[in-house]
């Protein structure tokens, strides 16, 4: 079995040996493992095989060495020869190397120096390159600083923007660039603060210069209007002069002063007028606006500016407490407001959106309401019409100025209509003083004229036409007193003063005519009427003065139509126009005349009462004196002289006064008889009283005032006459029998009146000593009296029951 396997095992071992010889030593492991993996004891046979192979290789090596030995010996011999030459070569090489090293040291040093120079050159080139990038950054930063120092902030912001967006990104790695980057926001904030400070200075500046700006703007408005109206004014002045010459008067305001005023206006127009740009530097607001726009914070700036201007508007619109005292106060107030809105208008048109039309309109509407309220309040304090007129002129110029800048001013012209009413009120108060002074200085006697010149002077001031007076020789008298032409002149002056306010109000001639007529009516119905009423009631005005006042009123009433023509000539509005207001002269003077007439009646009656108080009757006298009482004769003489003055009065006035006086005298005498303090009246006193009544009747029948028909005036004493006749005739049977009949002889005798007087006579009879003797006639008379008294009482009682 062992012999049979012998050839195969030998073959395998041969293969393993070939692999070991041909394989890398690192890969021998697997091959050797296969030896041990085979049959037992196989490795021994392999080891034997391996040793045999080693011996075989040793024999081949020995053969090879023997074959090459002689060549090896020759080579050794040659090497020994070479060794000596190599020693010499080594010495030579060493020497050459030393000499080469010595020579290379200088080259090395020069190379190293060259290397350093090259590095320096490269560094310098790099530095130059970097500096070329950094220098523009530094230059721009320096430029920013210079621009800020020169206060060119807008340019500085633009430079910073260029620096930040273009230059700094190229050198951002350097530290100084980081510092610059950190400083730029601070610089922007600094510019913001500086520009805002400039804006505050600008706002303060325009607040200080608003007055001057407004003054210049308001000066421009009337100046532009001056040249357009100079010719018209001159024409109106010529027409006005002709009108006044036709009326015989040339007022103060139509004289050389008018020409001087026009000349002054022309000279003033030629003066150079400064504008808002000349007075205020607007560059801070433009600069600040641009700065905030560049910084992207425009909205903040706009809000701040508008807020500050609103505050300034509130301050500008706040008037001084004493503004109403002088026109300068109003002028300064208007100048400030105009200056404020002129600045706003300039800002509106010079900037894009800093202020808008809506914002200015809002400010204007707020200001307009405040202005109207202020003017309405302060103008109410004005009592001087000249000041109110100057205020009106200021408001017109103010309105025209702002209208030229596009602001609506209709409400201001509506306010002027209110101020016009107040102006008329101040005029009325002023003319009330003028009228009172005229009335106080008047002597209330007809105006005497000694020659033609004086006569013409009076009729030039007052439209008086009387052909009979013209025919009379000099000296002669006008029927009116001095107050009449003065009053008429003042009426025309009032119309002129009222007309002044209507100028420049952009009203039609019809409206102006209506204004003049209404204000003149107020002067008639309120002022003049009130002054006349007050004059009439004054204690020192006597009957003669009242008569003259009535005459004056009559002529003033007739002059009203001339006043209407006067207004028509001024306004050129026909009086036939449908809506033309008529002057209320007729009703005004009629009321005043009636008041004067009533005062005449009152004063005449009061004078009669004064004479009556002088009466001193002895009511128990037995016999009359045989003549009328002295007080009554004085009274009648006074009435005669007074009624002679009444000849200049209208007939009805004189007749009414005379009838009123007689009735009052009759009533006073009747009251004297029936006075409760008079307890007893004798028949002698009745007879004496009858003598006085007879004088009164004679006075009435003498026609002290012409125009009475028949015995009309005597009827004033009919009650007294029938009462006295009844007692003197003692005709009681007739009285009692005919009582209540229309044909009764004693129809005007009242039973109660007769009873009162009879009882006073009854008491006198009882105390008379004669009646104490009980004579038959006296007893019969006493019984008759008692019987009549009873019957009278029954009549009186019947009357009371009937009532």
């Amino acid at each position: 079995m062992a012999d049979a396997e012998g050839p195969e095992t030998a073959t395998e071992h041969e293969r393993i040996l070939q692999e070991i010889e041909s394989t890398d030593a690192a890969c021998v492991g697997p091959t050797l493992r296969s030896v041990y993996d085979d049959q037992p004891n196989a490795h021994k046979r392999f080891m034997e095989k391996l040793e045999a192979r080693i011996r075989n290789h040793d024999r081949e090596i020995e053969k090879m060495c023997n074959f090459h030995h002689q060549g090896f010996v020759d080579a050794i011999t040659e090497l020994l020869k070479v060794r000596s030459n190599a020693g010499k070569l080594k010495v030579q090489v060493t020497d050459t190397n030393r000499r080469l090293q010595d020579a290379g040291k200088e080259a090395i040093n020069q190379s190293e120096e060259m290397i350093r120079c090259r590095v320096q050159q490269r560094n310098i080139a790099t530095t130059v390159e970097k500096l070329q990038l950094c220098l523009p950054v530094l230059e721009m930063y320096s430029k920013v600083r210079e621009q800020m120092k020169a206060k060119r902030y807008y340019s500085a912001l633009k430079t910073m923007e260029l620096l930040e967006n273009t230059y700094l990104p190229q050198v951002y790695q350097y530290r100084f660039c980081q510092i610059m980057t950190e400083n730029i926001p601070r610089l922007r904030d600094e510019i913001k603060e500086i520009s805002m400070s400039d804006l505050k200075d600008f706002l303060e500046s325009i607040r200080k210069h608003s007055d001057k700006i407004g003054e210049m703007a308001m000066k421009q408005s009337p100046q532009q209007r001056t040249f357009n109206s100079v010719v018209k004014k001159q024409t109106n002045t010529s027409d006005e002069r002709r009108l006044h010459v036709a009326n015989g008067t040339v007022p103060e305001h139509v004289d050389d002063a008018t020409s001087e005023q026009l000349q002054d206006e022309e000279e003033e127009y030629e003066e150079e007028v400064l504008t808002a740009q000349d007075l205020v530097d607007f560059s801070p607001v433009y600069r600040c606006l641009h700065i905030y726009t560049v910084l992207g914070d425009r909205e903040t700036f706009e809000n701040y500016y508008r807020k500050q201007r609103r505050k300034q508007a509130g301050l500008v619109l706040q008037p001084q407490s004493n503004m109403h005292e002088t026109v300068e106060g109003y002028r300064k107030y208007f100048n400030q407001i105009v200056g404020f809105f002129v600045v706003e208008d300039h800002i509106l048109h010079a900037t894009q959106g800093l202020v808008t039309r809506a914002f200015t309109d809002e400010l204007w509407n707020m200001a307009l309401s405040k202005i109207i309220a202020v003017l309405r309040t302060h103008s109410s304090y004005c009592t001087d019409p000249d000041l109110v007129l100057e205020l009106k002129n200021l408001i017109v110029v103010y309105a025209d100025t702002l209208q030229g800048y596009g602001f609506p001013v209709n409400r201001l012209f509506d306010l002027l209509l209110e101020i016009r009413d107040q102006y008329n009120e101040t005029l009325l108060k002023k003319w009330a003083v003028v009228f009172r002074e005229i009335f106080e200085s008047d002597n209330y006697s007809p105006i005497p004229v000694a020659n033609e010149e004086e006569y013409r002077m009076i009729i030039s001031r007052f439209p008086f036409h009387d052909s009979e007076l013209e025919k009379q020789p000099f000296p002669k008298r006008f029927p009116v007193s001095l107050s009449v032409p003065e009053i008429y002149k003042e009426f025309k002056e009032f119309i002129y003063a009222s007309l002044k306010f209507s100028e420049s109000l952009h009203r039609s001639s019809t409206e102006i005519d209506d204004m003049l007529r209404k204000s003149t009516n107020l002067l008639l119905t309120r002022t003049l009427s009130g002054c006349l009423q007050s004059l009439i009631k004054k204690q020192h005005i006597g009957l003669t003065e009242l008569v003259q006042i009535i005459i004056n009123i009559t002529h003033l009433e007739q002059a009203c139509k001339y006043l209407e023509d006067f207004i028509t000539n001024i306004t050129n509005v026909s009086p036939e126009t449908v809506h033309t207001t008529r002057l209320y002269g007729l009703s005004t003077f009629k009321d005043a005349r009636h008041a004067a007439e009533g005062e005449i009646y009152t004063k005449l009656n009061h004078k009669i009462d004064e004479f009556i108080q002088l009466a001193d009757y002895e009511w128990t006298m037995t016999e009359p004196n045989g003549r009328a009482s002295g007080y009554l004769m004085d009274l009648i003489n006074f009435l005669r002289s007074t009624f002679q003055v009444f000849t200049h009065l209208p007939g009805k006035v004189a007749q009414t006064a005379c009838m009123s006086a007689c009735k009052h005298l009759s009533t006073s005498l009747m009251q004297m008889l029936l006075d409760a303090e008079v307890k007893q009246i004798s028949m002698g006193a009745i007879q004496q009283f009858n003598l006085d009544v007879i004088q009164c009747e004679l006075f009435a029948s003498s026609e002290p005032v012409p125009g009475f028909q028949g015995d009309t005036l005597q009827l004033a004493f009919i009650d007294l006459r029938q009462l006295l006749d009844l007692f003197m005739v003692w005709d009681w049977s007739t009285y009692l029998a005919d009582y209540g009949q229309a044909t009764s002889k004693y129809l005007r005798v009242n039973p109660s009146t007769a009873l009162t007087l009879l009882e006073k006579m009854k008491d006198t009879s009882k105390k008379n000593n004669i009646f104490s003797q009980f004579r038959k006639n006296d007893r019969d008379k006493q019984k008759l009296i008692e019987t009549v008294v009873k019957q009278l009482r029954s009549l009186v009682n019947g009357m009371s029951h009937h009532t």
Side-chain angles (χ1 to χ4, degrees), residues 235-274:
T235 304
N236 291 342
T237 302
S238 301
D239 294 341
E240 196 171 340
R241 281 183 175 276
R242 288 195 296 271
L243 177 61
H244 288 302
V245 169
N247 284 276
T249 59
V250 181
E252 297 177 357
H253 61 280
V254 187
D255 54 11
D256 294 337
T258 305
S259 300
E260 293 177 1
Q261 180 182 359
L262 294 175
Q263 184 177 359
D264 292 341
E265 289 178 350
E266 292 172 1
E267 293 176 355
E268 183 181 5
Y269 186 79
E270 294 173 357
E271 294 179 359
E272 181 181 358
V273 179
L274 300 176

Coordinates of all heavy atoms in Angstrom, one line a residue, residues 235-274:
T235 N -61.0 159.6 -11.8 CA -62.3 159.8 -12.4 C -63.4 160.0 -11.4 O -64.2 160.9 -11.4 CB -62.7 158.7 -13.4 OG1 -61.7 158.6 -14.3 CG2 -64.0 159.0 -14.1
N236 N -63.4 159.1 -10.4 CA -64.4 159.1 -9.3 C -64.3 160.4 -8.5 O -65.2 161.0 -8.1 CB -64.3 157.9 -8.4 CG -64.7 156.6 -9.1 OD1 -65.4 156.7 -10.1 ND2 -64.4 155.5 -8.6
T237 N -63.0 160.8 -8.3 CA -62.7 162.0 -7.6 C -63.3 163.2 -8.3 O -63.9 164.1 -7.7 CB -61.2 162.2 -7.3 OG1 -60.7 161.1 -6.7 CG2 -61.0 163.4 -6.5
S238 N -63.1 163.3 -9.6 CA -63.7 164.4 -10.4 C -65.2 164.4 -10.3 O -65.8 165.5 -10.1 CB -63.2 164.3 -11.8 OG -61.8 164.3 -11.9
D239 N -65.8 163.2 -10.5 CA -67.2 163.1 -10.4 C -67.7 163.5 -9.1 O -68.7 164.2 -8.9 CB -67.7 161.7 -10.8 CG -67.4 161.3 -12.2 OD1 -67.2 162.3 -13.0 OD2 -67.4 160.1 -12.5
E240 N -67.0 163.1 -8.0 CA -67.4 163.4 -6.7 C -67.3 164.9 -6.4 O -68.2 165.5 -5.8 CB -66.5 162.7 -5.7 CG -67.1 162.6 -4.3 CD -66.3 161.7 -3.4 OE1 -65.6 160.8 -3.9 OE2 -66.4 161.9 -2.2
R241 N -66.3 165.6 -6.9 CA -66.1 167.0 -6.8 C -67.3 167.7 -7.5 O -67.9 168.6 -6.9 CB -64.8 167.5 -7.4 CG -63.6 167.2 -6.5 CD -62.4 167.8 -7.1 NE -61.2 167.7 -6.2 CZ -61.0 168.6 -5.3 NH1 -61.7 169.6 -5.1 NH2 -59.9 168.4 -4.5
R242 N -67.6 167.3 -8.7 CA -68.7 167.9 -9.4 C -70.0 167.7 -8.6 O -70.9 168.7 -8.5 CB -68.9 167.3 -10.8 CG -67.7 167.7 -11.8 CD -68.1 167.4 -13.2 NE -68.3 166.0 -13.4 CZ -67.3 165.2 -13.8 NH1 -66.1 165.7 -14.0 NH2 -67.5 163.9 -14.0
L243 N -70.2 166.5 -8.0 CA -71.4 166.3 -7.3 C -71.5 167.2 -6.1 O -72.6 167.7 -5.8 CB -71.5 164.8 -6.9 CG -72.6 164.4 -6.0 CD1 -73.9 164.6 -6.8 CD2 -72.5 162.9 -5.6
H244 N -70.4 167.3 -5.4 CA -70.4 168.2 -4.2 C -70.6 169.6 -4.5 O -71.2 170.4 -3.8 CB -69.2 168.0 -3.4 CG -69.2 166.6 -2.7 ND1 -70.1 166.3 -1.8 CD2 -68.3 165.6 -2.8 CE1 -69.9 165.0 -1.4 NE2 -68.8 164.6 -1.9
V245 N -70.0 170.0 -5.6 CA -70.1 171.4 -6.0 C -71.6 171.7 -6.4 O -72.2 172.7 -6.0 CB -69.2 171.7 -7.2 CG1 -69.6 173.1 -7.8 CG2 -67.8 171.7 -6.8
A246 N -72.2 170.7 -7.0 CA -73.7 170.9 -7.3 C -74.5 171.0 -6.0 O -75.5 171.7 -6.0 CB -74.1 169.7 -8.1
N247 N -74.0 170.3 -5.0 CA -74.7 170.4 -3.7 C -74.2 171.5 -2.8 O -74.7 171.7 -1.7 CB -74.6 169.1 -2.9 CG -75.5 168.0 -3.5 OD1 -76.7 167.9 -3.2 ND2 -75.0 167.2 -4.4
G248 N -73.2 172.2 -3.3 CA -72.7 173.4 -2.6 C -71.7 173.0 -1.5 O -71.3 173.9 -0.7
T249 N -71.2 171.8 -1.4 CA -70.2 171.4 -0.4 C -69.1 170.6 -1.0 O -69.3 169.9 -1.9 CB -70.9 170.6 0.7 OG1 -71.4 169.4 0.1 CG2 -72.0 171.4 1.4
V250 N -67.9 170.8 -0.5 CA -66.8 170.0 -0.8 C -66.2 169.4 0.4 O -65.5 170.1 1.2 CB -65.7 170.9 -1.6 CG1 -64.5 170.0 -2.0 CG2 -66.3 171.5 -2.8
P251 N -66.5 168.2 0.7 CA -66.0 167.6 2.0 C -64.5 167.5 2.1 O -63.8 167.7 1.1 CB -66.6 166.1 2.0 CG -67.7 166.2 1.0 CD -67.3 167.2 0.0
E252 N -64.1 167.3 3.3 CA -62.6 167.3 3.5 C -61.9 166.2 2.7 O -60.8 166.3 2.4 CB -62.4 167.1 5.0 CG -62.9 168.3 5.8 CD -62.7 168.0 7.3 OE1 -62.2 167.0 7.6 OE2 -63.0 168.9 8.1
H253 N -62.6 165.1 2.5 CA -61.9 163.9 1.9 C -61.9 164.1 0.4 O -61.3 163.3 -0.3 CB -62.7 162.6 2.2 CG -64.1 162.6 1.8 ND1 -65.1 163.2 2.5 CD2 -64.6 162.0 0.7 CE1 -66.2 162.9 1.8 NE2 -65.9 162.2 0.7
V254 N -62.5 165.1 -0.2 CA -62.4 165.4 -1.6 C -61.6 166.7 -1.8 O -62.2 167.7 -2.1 CB -63.8 165.5 -2.3 CG1 -63.6 165.6 -3.8 CG2 -64.6 164.3 -1.9
D255 N -60.3 166.7 -1.5 CA -59.5 167.9 -1.6 C -58.1 167.4 -2.1 O -57.9 166.4 -2.6 CB -59.5 168.6 -0.3 CG -59.1 167.7 0.8 OD1 -58.6 166.6 0.5 OD2 -59.2 168.1 2.0
D256 N -57.1 168.3 -1.8 CA -55.8 168.0 -2.2 C -55.2 166.7 -1.6 O -54.3 166.1 -2.1 CB -54.8 169.2 -1.9 CG -55.2 170.4 -2.7 OD1 -55.8 170.2 -3.8 OD2 -54.9 171.5 -2.3
A257 N -55.8 166.4 -0.4 CA -55.3 165.1 0.3 C -55.5 163.9 -0.6 O -54.7 163.0 -0.6 CB -56.0 165.0 1.6
T258 N -56.5 163.9 -1.4 CA -56.8 162.8 -2.3 C -55.7 162.7 -3.3 O -55.1 161.6 -3.6 CB -58.1 163.0 -3.0 OG1 -59.1 163.1 -2.0 CG2 -58.4 161.7 -3.9
S259 N -55.3 163.8 -3.9 CA -54.2 163.8 -4.9 C -52.9 163.3 -4.3 O -52.1 162.6 -4.8 CB -54.0 165.2 -5.5 OG -55.2 165.6 -6.2
E260 N -52.6 163.8 -3.0 CA -51.4 163.4 -2.3 C -51.5 161.9 -2.1 O -50.4 161.3 -2.2 CB -51.3 164.2 -1.0 CG -51.1 165.7 -1.3 CD -51.0 166.5 0.1 OE1 -51.2 165.8 1.1 OE2 -50.8 167.7 0.0
Q261 N -52.6 161.4 -1.7 CA -52.7 160.0 -1.4 C -52.4 159.2 -2.7 O -51.7 158.2 -2.6 CB -54.1 159.7 -0.9 CG -54.3 158.2 -0.6 CD -55.8 157.9 -0.2 OE1 -56.6 158.8 -0.1 NE2 -56.0 156.6 0.1
L262 N -53.0 159.6 -3.8 CA -52.7 158.8 -5.0 C -51.2 158.9 -5.4 O -50.6 157.9 -5.8 CB -53.5 159.4 -6.2 CG -55.0 159.2 -6.1 CD1 -55.7 160.0 -7.2 CD2 -55.4 157.8 -6.1
Q263 N -50.6 160.1 -5.2 CA -49.2 160.3 -5.5 C -48.3 159.4 -4.5 O -47.4 158.7 -5.0 CB -48.8 161.7 -5.3 CG -47.3 162.0 -5.7 CD -47.0 163.5 -5.5 OE1 -47.9 164.3 -5.2 NE2 -45.8 163.8 -5.8
D264 N -48.7 159.3 -3.3 CA -48.0 158.5 -2.3 C -48.1 157.0 -2.7 O -47.1 156.3 -2.6 CB -48.5 158.7 -0.9 CG -48.2 160.0 -0.4 OD1 -47.3 160.7 -0.9 OD2 -48.9 160.5 0.6
E265 N -49.3 156.6 -3.2 CA -49.5 155.2 -3.6 C -48.6 154.9 -4.8 O -48.0 153.8 -4.9 CB -50.9 154.9 -3.9 CG -51.8 154.9 -2.7 CD -53.3 154.7 -3.1 OE1 -53.6 154.7 -4.3 OE2 -54.1 154.5 -2.2
E266 N -48.5 155.9 -5.8 CA -47.6 155.6 -6.9 C -46.2 155.5 -6.5 O -45.4 154.6 -7.0 CB -47.8 156.7 -7.9 CG -49.2 156.7 -8.6 CD -49.4 158.0 -9.4 OE1 -48.5 158.8 -9.5 OE2 -50.5 158.1 -10.0
E267 N -45.7 156.4 -5.6 CA -44.3 156.3 -5.2 C -44.1 155.0 -4.4 O -43.0 154.4 -4.6 CB -44.0 157.5 -4.3 CG -44.0 158.9 -5.0 CD -43.8 160.0 -4.1 OE1 -43.8 159.8 -2.9 OE2 -43.7 161.2 -4.6
E268 N -45.0 154.6 -3.6 CA -44.9 153.4 -2.9 C -44.8 152.2 -3.8 O -44.0 151.3 -3.5 CB -46.1 153.2 -1.9 CG -46.0 152.0 -1.0 CD -47.2 151.9 -0.1 OE1 -48.1 152.6 -0.3 OE2 -47.2 150.9 0.7
Y269 N -45.5 152.2 -4.9 CA -45.4 151.1 -5.8 C -44.1 151.0 -6.5 O -43.6 149.9 -6.8 CB -46.5 151.3 -6.9 CG -46.6 150.1 -7.8 CD1 -47.3 149.0 -7.4 CD2 -46.1 150.2 -9.1 CE1 -47.5 147.9 -8.3 CE2 -46.2 149.1 -9.9 CZ -46.9 148.0 -9.5 OH -47.0 146.9 -10.4
E270 N -43.4 152.2 -6.6 CA -42.1 152.1 -7.3 C -41.0 151.6 -6.4 O -39.9 151.3 -6.8 CB -41.7 153.6 -7.7 CG -42.7 154.1 -8.9 CD -42.4 155.5 -9.2 OE1 -41.5 156.1 -8.5 OE2 -43.1 156.0 -10.1
E271 N -41.3 151.5 -5.1 CA -40.3 151.0 -4.2 C -40.0 149.5 -4.4 O -40.9 148.8 -4.8 CB -40.7 151.3 -2.7 CG -40.8 152.7 -2.3 CD -41.3 152.9 -0.9 OE1 -41.5 151.9 -0.3 OE2 -41.3 154.0 -0.5
E272 N -38.8 149.1 -4.1 CA -38.5 147.7 -4.3 C -39.2 146.9 -3.1 O -39.0 147.3 -2.0 CB -37.0 147.5 -4.2 CG -36.6 146.0 -4.4 CD -35.1 145.9 -4.4 OE1 -34.4 146.9 -4.2 OE2 -34.6 144.7 -4.4
V273 N -39.8 145.9 -3.5 CA -40.5 145.0 -2.5 C -39.8 143.7 -2.3 O -39.5 143.0 -3.3 CB -42.0 144.8 -2.9 CG1 -42.7 143.9 -1.9 CG2 -42.7 146.1 -3.1
L274 N -39.4 143.4 -1.1 CA -38.7 142.2 -0.8 C -39.7 141.0 -0.8 O -40.8 141.2 -0.4 CB -38.0 142.3 0.5 CG -36.9 143.4 0.6 CD1 -36.4 143.5 2.0 CD2 -35.8 143.2 -0.4

